Structures are given as structure tokens and as C-alpha cells.
Amino acid sequence: MILIDGKNISSKVKDEVKNEAINLANLGIKPGLAVILVGDDKASLTYVNSKEKACKMCEIYSVKKTLPASTTEDELLNLIDELNKDDKIHGILVQLPLPKHIDENKIIEKIDPKKDVDGFHPINVGKLSIALDGFVSCTPAGVIRLLKEYEIDISGKNAVVIGRSNIVGKPMANLLLKENATVTITHSKTKNLDFYTKNADIIVVAIGIPNFLKADMVKDGAIVIDVGINRLDDGRLVGDADFENLKEKASFITPVPGGVGPMTIAMLLNNTIISTKNFLKEKK
Ligand code: NAD
């Protein structure tokens, strides 16, 4: 079994990002990312702070907008409008989930697709589905990067994605399809999940249920990518895959923590670099 080291690969991506950011700054355009947080959700605050810290480390200008939970939809739309027009900002991210009185879809659609470094805007989602260049959701983009770094050939493989969220499952399936895998998307209503997973060369599990994918659900030599992040009552962080038993059977596996998790922020910074380069091209 080979352990896929996401910590190591994410450091490599961040080093590349830093070099690119310095080069771009020398060309007169310092990459800038704005992160908006509405409300005081603890987990969201931790994510936003780590994004800000990563920006600093990688020479990316970062703006953190922290708004109270009482912020109205219009106030948030206006802030996005300002950031859309701000030349110093090349990426805009609204930390989800938003308070219930705000329509997430409306907010996502307000972000200029050219600055949508999270890849959630319908324009970017649509581009991915017809294999055009656009921003790709960071976690699934990170998974593809991990597979490539480990020289895992995706083409022609049977890939099974467990979970169909807009943030992970669906873009993951589209990316694997783009890499010429034969893709099956499974979800909470799938019957006989084992039937699909036992035939899979690559399994990506993203459902949010601790240790859900068991060793008897996969074939020998399967590649297991665990996107799940679950905090157990005893404080331990575990994935959606039963790592201890699967590691005997899988050919490659990602640990939790230290697998897919660290890739998400690295790919967000990478998307900010891509966006800045696009703006530079437009300026010329
Ligand atoms: P979500 O709650 O939006 O979606 C869960 C999906 O799992 C749904 O499509 C549902 O159909 C499916 N599902 C639920 N129960 C199932 C079952 N018994 N069998 C098959 N499918 C089932 O979740 P999400 O936002 O995609 O996140 C999934 C997990 O990934 C969570 O643990 C989350 O914390 C983690 N996550 C990690 C990162 C990262 O950076 N590594 C990023 C995003 C999400």
C-alpha cells in the first residue's frame, strides 16, 4: 500500500503558488483573494483564518470581510458587487454555509465568474461539464492533483464517486470523466452500493459518515480517496473510509488527516493565481 501524502503535495503546490505570486507581483499585479464570512460559525471561522494565513505565506494579498449573522442578503450582494469591481481582488470566496435568511444560490451567482475561485458559479460548473477551462471546485481539483502526482493513470479506470454534493461529488465525477475514467456516481438512495464499489479501480468517498467504506466493499488493489472529515466524540478526526482495515487491501489510500484536506486550500490559492494570470492577459 502506498500512502498518498497530501500534506507534502500541498506544500509543493503552495511553493509553486508563492513563486508565481512573486513573479506576478514583479509584473505589477499582486494576486488578491477576498474571503467573506457571515456569522460566527466556529468551523467556518477556522477555515477562513487558515485561508488568510495561507495567503500570507504565499505572498497573496488577502482581504477578510467578517460580517454579523444579521447581515441582509442585499448587504452581502452589495459587498460582492464592490469586490467584483475591485482591481486588487482576483478571487472572491464566500464561506458556506450562509445564515438561513440568505439565498446561497443568489450569492454565488452574484460573484463575477472570472473571480469565482471556488468554482461554484453555474458558469464554471457548466464549463466543467462540457470540459471547457474554468474554475474547478478546490477539493475535487486537489484529488485529481494527488492522483497525478502519484502517477496514477485515470484513463479507462472504473471510478466510483460516493456522494453527489455540488461542492465535491458532482465536480469530482466530472473531473474523473474529463480524465477518461468510466464514472459511476452513487449516493444515499443508491441500492447495492457494494456492487459498484467492488468493481471500482478508484473510489472517492465524500459523504460525511465516519469509517463508512469498509474493506469488504472494495476489491484488492483499489485506490481509495477519502474526502470525509468527521470529528468523533472523543475528539479524533476520521474520514469516511475505514482506513485501518482498508490499508491492507488498497494499492493507494489517503489518510485523514493529511490526505485530501490540505489540498483544498492549496488549490484555492492555485485558482487565485490562474485568475490573476487571466486578468493580466486581459490587461495586455
Ligand atoms: P454533503 O452533506 O453535501 O453531501 C453528502 C453526500 O453523501 C450526499 O450526496 C448524499 O447523497 C451522500 N450520502 C449520504 N449518505 C450516504 C450513504 N449512506 N451512501 C451513499 N451516499 C450517501 O457533503 P459534502 O459537502 O460533499 O461533504 C462530504 C464530506 O467531505 C464531509 O465529511 C465533509 O466534511 C468533507 N469535505 C471535505 C473537504 C476537504 O477539504 N477535504 C471539503 C468539502 C467536504
Side-chain angles (χ1 to χ4, degrees), residues 14-274:
K14 284 188 203 157
D15 285 345
E16 288 167 11
V17 164
K18 187 175 174 178
N19 284 334
E20 299 249 34
I22 292 169
N23 289 341
L24 283 161
N26 287 336
L27 294 169
I29 182 164
K30 189 176 170 77
L33 175 70
V35 180
I36 305 173
L37 174 67
V38 187
D40 43 22
D41 181 71
K42 266 208 178 123
S44 294
L45 184 64
T46 309
Y47 290 137
V48 165
N49 286 341
S50 37
K51 283 165 190 172
E52 198 187 21
K53 203 171 127 199
C55 280
K56 280 210 179 97
M57 277 172 57
C58 294
E59 303 281 335
I60 291 177
Y61 166 66
S62 87
V63 173
K64 183 170 80 177
K65 302 275 185 187
T66 313
L67 308 176
S70 58
T71 304
T72 65
E73 194 174 271
D74 277 344
E75 282 167 340
L76 185 54
L77 290 168
N78 287 337
L79 173 61
I80 294 173
D81 207 27
E82 268 172 43
L83 294 166
N84 280 342
K85 290 178 189 147
D86 187 339
D87 287 345
K88 292 202 291 298
I89 297 300
H90 308 98
I92 302 171
L93 178 154
V94 180
Q95 186 66 44
L96 302 179
L98 288 169
K100 290 208 166 53
H101 64 277
I102 300 180
D103 180 346
E104 276 184 7
N105 289 325
K106 219 167 156 183
I107 298 303
I108 290 169
E109 284 185 38
K110 184 72 179 173
I111 298 172
D112 181 345
K114 290 181 188 160
K115 296 190 178 185
D116 169 40
V117 284
D118 245 345
F120 294 165
H121 192 288
I123 294 263
N124 285 315
V125 175
K127 281 186 171 175
L128 175 61
S129 78
I130 53 171
L132 289 179
D133 283 343
F135 291 113
V136 176
S137 180
C138 302
T139 304
V143 170
I144 295 291
R145 178 75 190 246
L146 286 177
L147 294 172
K148 291 196 169 169
E149 286 284 341
Y150 280 80
E151 295 179 356
I152 294 167
D153 190 14
I154 306 172
S155 178
K157 295 278 165 62
N158 285 337
V160 169
V161 179
I162 314 178
R164 58 169 162 186
S165 72
N166 292 342
I167 293 171
V168 187
K170 282 185 201 141
M172 189 71 253
N174 268 321
L175 281 172
L176 289 162
L177 190 61
K178 203 173 166 190
E179 297 293 332
N180 299 314
T182 303
V183 183
T184 306
I185 307 176
T186 63
H187 47 78
S188 56
K189 299 282 190 288
T190 298
K191 294 199 170 78
N192 301 324
L193 181 64
D194 290 31
F195 169 80
Y196 303 99
T197 53
K198 277 182 181 159
N199 273 308
D201 304 305
I202 302 171
I203 303 174
V204 181
V205 58
I207 58 176
I209 303 178
N211 303 321
F212 175 84
L213 184 74
K214 306 284 184 212
D216 64 4
M217 294 167 75
V218 312
K219 69 177 184 185
D220 276 329
I223 295 157
V224 177
I225 306 292
D226 188 354
V227 179
I229 303 176
N230 309 291
R231 179 77 64 186
L232 299 182
D233 290 341
D234 63 10
R236 271 185 307 136
L237 211 57
V238 298
D240 291 348
D242 180 8
F243 181 86
E244 279 312 311
N245 294 308
L246 276 162
K247 70 177 191 218
E248 311 296 336
K249 229 172 163 187
S251 56
F252 291 85
I253 188 165
T254 58
V256 176
V260 176
M263 292 302 290
T264 301
I265 291 187
M267 299 313 284
L268 170 71
L269 302 179
N270 193 53
N271 278 351
T272 307
I273 296 293
I274 294 172

